[in-house]
Amino acid sequence: MSDCIFCKIVNGEIPSNKIYEDEYVYAFYDISPEAPVHFLVIPKEHIKSANFITKENSNVVAHIFEVINKITSELGISEDGYRVVNNCGVLGGQTVDHMHFHVLGGRELKWPPG
Ligand code: 5GP
Ligand code: ZN
């Protein structure tokens, strides 16, 4: 989508600190980290939010979790633990309308969120 900042990150129009990329997904560090490790994993395809996951496109979500497993292992945070967050819609706190999964780690995270 032409006016989507995450689509622009995927196609290189907006620079990012990339961690991983393959045919289906792109992972990069969050510009405003909330934890010592904070990165985002997104589908390359523009999916607006979790509300738009369908039978046809849901494979990418499983793949995203495989990629999260790989990256957290490589970054050395998988044994201590980490959190995966998907904010969906206005009340869910979604500010960028291209579905993304936050991965936060490197410190103890409180639960429940505010
Ligand atoms: P949301 O609030 O939609 O769940 O999360 C959007 C996230 O994207 C925020 O944590 C924000 O810091 C991050 N973000 C927004 N714009 C950019 C950008 O241009 N580059 C990077 N790396 N992260 C961004
Ligand atoms: Zn997009």
Side-chain angles (χ1 to χ4, degrees), residues 1-8 10 42-48 96-99:
M1 227 179 87
S2 57
D3 64 343
C4 168
I5 60 169
F6 284 180
C7 283
K8 286 182 178 172
V10 167
I42 68 176
K44 285 190 167 176
E45 179 190 359
H46 182 87
I47 298 172
K48 187 177 174 191
V96 177
D97 285 342
H98 180 130
M99 184 178 70

PDB file of all heavy atoms in Angstrom, residues 1-8 10 42-48 96-99, ligand 2:
ATOM      1  N   MET A   1       0.847  -1.203   0.000  1.00  0.00           N
ATOM      2  CA  MET A   1       0.000   0.000   0.000  1.00  0.00           C
ATOM      3  C   MET A   1       0.874   1.242   0.000  1.00  0.00           C
ATOM      4  O   MET A   1       1.798   1.339   0.794  1.00  0.00           O
ATOM      5  CB  MET A   1      -0.888  -0.014   1.241  1.00  0.00           C
ATOM      6  CG  MET A   1      -2.325   0.292   0.941  1.00  0.00           C
ATOM      7  SD  MET A   1      -3.296   0.234   2.447  1.00  0.00           S
ATOM      8  CE  MET A   1      -3.063   1.916   2.991  1.00  0.00           C
ATOM      9  N   SER A   2       0.590   2.190  -0.856  1.00  0.00           N
ATOM     10  CA  SER A   2       1.545   3.261  -1.131  1.00  0.00           C
ATOM     11  C   SER A   2       1.765   4.219   0.032  1.00  0.00           C
ATOM     12  O   SER A   2       2.845   4.766   0.192  1.00  0.00           O
ATOM     13  CB  SER A   2       1.102   4.039  -2.367  1.00  0.00           C
ATOM     14  OG  SER A   2      -0.200   4.527  -2.163  1.00  0.00           O
ATOM     15  N   ASP A   3       0.753   4.440   0.874  1.00  0.00           N
ATOM     16  CA  ASP A   3       0.961   5.399   1.969  1.00  0.00           C
ATOM     17  C   ASP A   3       1.200   4.718   3.321  1.00  0.00           C
ATOM     18  O   ASP A   3       1.029   5.333   4.359  1.00  0.00           O
ATOM     19  CB  ASP A   3      -0.227   6.367   2.053  1.00  0.00           C
ATOM     20  CG  ASP A   3      -1.520   5.641   2.419  1.00  0.00           C
ATOM     21  OD1 ASP A   3      -1.556   4.386   2.293  1.00  0.00           O
ATOM     22  OD2 ASP A   3      -2.472   6.310   2.832  1.00  0.00           O
ATOM     23  N   CYS A   4       1.633   3.468   3.296  1.00  0.00           N
ATOM     24  CA  CYS A   4       1.838   2.713   4.544  1.00  0.00           C
ATOM     25  C   CYS A   4       3.325   2.724   4.902  1.00  0.00           C
ATOM     26  O   CYS A   4       4.161   2.309   4.090  1.00  0.00           O
ATOM     27  CB  CYS A   4       1.339   1.279   4.349  1.00  0.00           C
ATOM     28  SG  CYS A   4       1.837   0.167   5.675  1.00  0.00           S
ATOM     29  N   ILE A   5       3.652   3.186   6.117  1.00  0.00           N
ATOM     30  CA  ILE A   5       5.077   3.293   6.466  1.00  0.00           C
ATOM     31  C   ILE A   5       5.757   1.925   6.537  1.00  0.00           C
ATOM     32  O   ILE A   5       6.938   1.820   6.209  1.00  0.00           O
ATOM     33  CB  ILE A   5       5.331   4.103   7.763  1.00  0.00           C
ATOM     34  CG1 ILE A   5       4.655   3.496   8.968  1.00  0.00           C
ATOM     35  CG2 ILE A   5       4.963   5.561   7.597  1.00  0.00           C
ATOM     36  CD1 ILE A   5       5.135   4.131  10.280  1.00  0.00           C
ATOM     37  N   PHE A   6       5.033   0.884   6.950  1.00  0.00           N
ATOM     38  CA  PHE A   6       5.684  -0.425   7.024  1.00  0.00           C
ATOM     39  C   PHE A   6       5.875  -1.024   5.627  1.00  0.00           C
ATOM     40  O   PHE A   6       6.876  -1.707   5.382  1.00  0.00           O
ATOM     41  CB  PHE A   6       4.934  -1.365   7.963  1.00  0.00           C
ATOM     42  CG  PHE A   6       5.158  -1.054   9.434  1.00  0.00           C
ATOM     43  CD1 PHE A   6       4.547  -1.815  10.421  1.00  0.00           C
ATOM     44  CD2 PHE A   6       5.993  -0.017   9.841  1.00  0.00           C
ATOM     45  CE1 PHE A   6       4.755  -1.547  11.778  1.00  0.00           C
ATOM     46  CE2 PHE A   6       6.209   0.265  11.190  1.00  0.00           C
ATOM     47  CZ  PHE A   6       5.587  -0.507  12.162  1.00  0.00           C
ATOM     48  N   CYS A   7       4.965  -0.771   4.694  1.00  0.00           N
ATOM     49  CA  CYS A   7       5.213  -1.181   3.304  1.00  0.00           C
ATOM     50  C   CYS A   7       6.450  -0.452   2.769  1.00  0.00           C
ATOM     51  O   CYS A   7       7.263  -1.045   2.045  1.00  0.00           O
ATOM     52  CB  CYS A   7       4.000  -0.886   2.430  1.00  0.00           C
ATOM     53  SG  CYS A   7       2.646  -2.074   2.621  1.00  0.00           S
ATOM     54  N   LYS A   8       6.598   0.815   3.154  1.00  0.00           N
ATOM     55  CA  LYS A   8       7.772   1.575   2.700  1.00  0.00           C
ATOM     56  C   LYS A   8       9.056   1.033   3.322  1.00  0.00           C
ATOM     57  O   LYS A   8      10.116   1.051   2.687  1.00  0.00           O
ATOM     58  CB  LYS A   8       7.601   3.058   3.035  1.00  0.00           C
ATOM     59  CG  LYS A   8       6.590   3.739   2.127  1.00  0.00           C
ATOM     60  CD  LYS A   8       6.464   5.209   2.434  1.00  0.00           C
ATOM     61  CE  LYS A   8       5.471   5.839   1.450  1.00  0.00           C
ATOM     62  NZ  LYS A   8       5.139   7.215   1.792  1.00  0.00           N
ATOM     63  N   VAL A  10       9.468  -2.160   4.083  1.00  0.00           N
ATOM     64  CA  VAL A  10       9.704  -3.421   3.352  1.00  0.00           C
ATOM     65  C   VAL A  10      10.368  -3.147   2.005  1.00  0.00           C
ATOM     66  O   VAL A  10      11.313  -3.844   1.620  1.00  0.00           O
ATOM     67  CB  VAL A  10       8.376  -4.199   3.153  1.00  0.00           C
ATOM     68  CG1 VAL A  10       8.538  -5.323   2.145  1.00  0.00           C
ATOM     69  CG2 VAL A  10       7.868  -4.752   4.475  1.00  0.00           C
ATOM     70  N   ILE A  42       6.798  -8.363  10.605  1.00  0.00           N
ATOM     71  CA  ILE A  42       5.623  -8.022   9.793  1.00  0.00           C
ATOM     72  C   ILE A  42       5.569  -8.900   8.544  1.00  0.00           C
ATOM     73  O   ILE A  42       6.605  -9.335   8.026  1.00  0.00           O
ATOM     74  CB  ILE A  42       5.632  -6.522   9.382  1.00  0.00           C
ATOM     75  CG1 ILE A  42       6.764  -6.199   8.406  1.00  0.00           C
ATOM     76  CG2 ILE A  42       5.730  -5.635  10.610  1.00  0.00           C
ATOM     77  CD1 ILE A  42       6.750  -4.756   7.893  1.00  0.00           C
ATOM     78  N   PRO A  43       4.344  -9.147   8.058  1.00  0.00           N
ATOM     79  CA  PRO A  43       4.248  -9.795   6.745  1.00  0.00           C
ATOM     80  C   PRO A  43       4.633  -8.774   5.673  1.00  0.00           C
ATOM     81  O   PRO A  43       4.358  -7.574   5.828  1.00  0.00           O
ATOM     82  CB  PRO A  43       2.761 -10.153   6.635  1.00  0.00           C
ATOM     83  CG  PRO A  43       2.060  -9.183   7.529  1.00  0.00           C
ATOM     84  CD  PRO A  43       3.034  -8.806   8.621  1.00  0.00           C
ATOM     85  N   LYS A  44       5.276  -9.214   4.611  1.00  0.00           N
ATOM     86  CA  LYS A  44       5.571  -8.297   3.508  1.00  0.00           C
ATOM     87  C   LYS A  44       4.285  -7.840   2.833  1.00  0.00           C
ATOM     88  O   LYS A  44       4.185  -6.699   2.378  1.00  0.00           O
ATOM     89  CB  LYS A  44       6.511  -8.953   2.490  1.00  0.00           C
ATOM     90  CG  LYS A  44       7.942  -9.024   3.008  1.00  0.00           C
ATOM     91  CD  LYS A  44       8.915  -9.440   1.918  1.00  0.00           C
ATOM     92  CE  LYS A  44      10.339  -9.198   2.387  1.00  0.00           C
ATOM     93  NZ  LYS A  44      11.337  -9.666   1.404  1.00  0.00           N
ATOM     94  N   GLU A  45       3.323  -8.747   2.794  1.00  0.00           N
ATOM     95  CA  GLU A  45       2.011  -8.391   2.247  1.00  0.00           C
ATOM     96  C   GLU A  45       1.329  -7.408   3.192  1.00  0.00           C
ATOM     97  O   GLU A  45       1.388  -7.573   4.417  1.00  0.00           O
ATOM     98  CB  GLU A  45       1.169  -9.666   2.127  1.00  0.00           C
ATOM     99  CG  GLU A  45      -0.226  -9.444   1.590  1.00  0.00           C
ATOM    100  CD  GLU A  45      -1.133 -10.684   1.717  1.00  0.00           C
ATOM    101  OE1 GLU A  45      -0.652 -11.714   2.221  1.00  0.00           O
ATOM    102  OE2 GLU A  45      -2.293 -10.590   1.327  1.00  0.00           O
ATOM    103  N   HIS A  46       0.667  -6.391   2.641  1.00  0.00           N
ATOM    104  CA  HIS A  46      -0.057  -5.436   3.487  1.00  0.00           C
ATOM    105  C   HIS A  46      -1.335  -6.075   4.011  1.00  0.00           C
ATOM    106  O   HIS A  46      -2.320  -6.208   3.285  1.00  0.00           O
ATOM    107  CB  HIS A  46      -0.393  -4.157   2.713  1.00  0.00           C
ATOM    108  CG  HIS A  46      -1.093  -3.151   3.582  1.00  0.00           C
ATOM    109  ND1 HIS A  46      -0.414  -2.238   4.360  1.00  0.00           N
ATOM    110  CD2 HIS A  46      -2.405  -2.946   3.832  1.00  0.00           C
ATOM    111  CE1 HIS A  46      -1.276  -1.502   5.038  1.00  0.00           C
ATOM    112  NE2 HIS A  46      -2.506  -1.914   4.737  1.00  0.00           N
ATOM    113  N   ILE A  47      -1.282  -6.469   5.290  1.00  0.00           N
ATOM    114  CA  ILE A  47      -2.479  -6.948   5.997  1.00  0.00           C
ATOM    115  C   ILE A  47      -2.724  -5.888   7.067  1.00  0.00           C
ATOM    116  O   ILE A  47      -1.839  -5.595   7.877  1.00  0.00           O
ATOM    117  CB  ILE A  47      -2.242  -8.336   6.633  1.00  0.00           C
ATOM    118  CG1 ILE A  47      -1.939  -9.380   5.556  1.00  0.00           C
ATOM    119  CG2 ILE A  47      -3.460  -8.756   7.461  1.00  0.00           C
ATOM    120  CD1 ILE A  47      -1.497 -10.747   6.097  1.00  0.00           C
ATOM    121  N   LYS A  48      -3.900  -5.298   7.053  1.00  0.00           N
ATOM    122  CA  LYS A  48      -4.145  -4.105   7.877  1.00  0.00           C
ATOM    123  C   LYS A  48      -4.038  -4.387   9.381  1.00  0.00           C
ATOM    124  O   LYS A  48      -3.449  -3.612  10.132  1.00  0.00           O
ATOM    125  CB  LYS A  48      -5.532  -3.537   7.542  1.00  0.00           C
ATOM    126  CG  LYS A  48      -5.831  -2.219   8.207  1.00  0.00           C
ATOM    127  CD  LYS A  48      -7.195  -1.681   7.785  1.00  0.00           C
ATOM    128  CE  LYS A  48      -7.538  -0.437   8.589  1.00  0.00           C
ATOM    129  NZ  LYS A  48      -8.930  -0.026   8.417  1.00  0.00           N
ATOM    130  N   VAL A  96       0.069   1.808  13.735  1.00  0.00           N
ATOM    131  CA  VAL A  96       0.472   1.617  12.337  1.00  0.00           C
ATOM    132  C   VAL A  96      -0.423   0.526  11.755  1.00  0.00           C
ATOM    133  O   VAL A  96      -0.432  -0.618  12.250  1.00  0.00           O
ATOM    134  CB  VAL A  96       1.950   1.217  12.201  1.00  0.00           C
ATOM    135  CG1 VAL A  96       2.302   0.962  10.741  1.00  0.00           C
ATOM    136  CG2 VAL A  96       2.866   2.299  12.791  1.00  0.00           C
ATOM    137  N   ASP A  97      -1.171   0.891  10.706  1.00  0.00           N
ATOM    138  CA  ASP A  97      -2.179  -0.021  10.154  1.00  0.00           C
ATOM    139  C   ASP A  97      -1.597  -0.995   9.130  1.00  0.00           C
ATOM    140  O   ASP A  97      -2.044  -1.071   7.972  1.00  0.00           O
ATOM    141  CB  ASP A  97      -3.340   0.777   9.556  1.00  0.00           C
ATOM    142  CG  ASP A  97      -4.246   1.354  10.639  1.00  0.00           C
ATOM    143  OD1 ASP A  97      -4.175   0.871  11.788  1.00  0.00           O
ATOM    144  OD2 ASP A  97      -4.998   2.297  10.344  1.00  0.00           O
ATOM    145  N   HIS A  98      -0.561  -1.693   9.558  1.00  0.00           N
ATOM    146  CA  HIS A  98       0.016  -2.825   8.816  1.00  0.00           C
ATOM    147  C   HIS A  98       0.344  -3.815   9.928  1.00  0.00           C
ATOM    148  O   HIS A  98       1.187  -3.517  10.798  1.00  0.00           O
ATOM    149  CB  HIS A  98       1.269  -2.369   8.049  1.00  0.00           C
ATOM    150  CG  HIS A  98       1.960  -3.437   7.252  1.00  0.00           C
ATOM    151  ND1 HIS A  98       2.317  -3.271   5.920  1.00  0.00           N
ATOM    152  CD2 HIS A  98       2.401  -4.673   7.599  1.00  0.00           C
ATOM    153  CE1 HIS A  98       2.933  -4.357   5.486  1.00  0.00           C
ATOM    154  NE2 HIS A  98       3.007  -5.226   6.481  1.00  0.00           N
ATOM    155  N   MET A  99      -0.338  -4.949   9.930  1.00  0.00           N
ATOM    156  CA  MET A  99      -0.217  -5.895  11.049  1.00  0.00           C
ATOM    157  C   MET A  99       1.248  -6.161  11.409  1.00  0.00           C
ATOM    158  O   MET A  99       2.084  -6.403  10.538  1.00  0.00           O
ATOM    159  CB  MET A  99      -0.889  -7.218  10.673  1.00  0.00           C
ATOM    160  CG  MET A  99      -0.880  -8.219  11.815  1.00  0.00           C
ATOM    161  SD  MET A  99      -1.726  -9.757  11.395  1.00  0.00           S
ATOM    162  CE  MET A  99      -0.610 -10.471  10.196  1.00  0.00           C
TER     163      MET A  99
HETATM  164 ZN    ZN B   2       1.576  -1.819   4.639  1.00  0.00          ZN
END
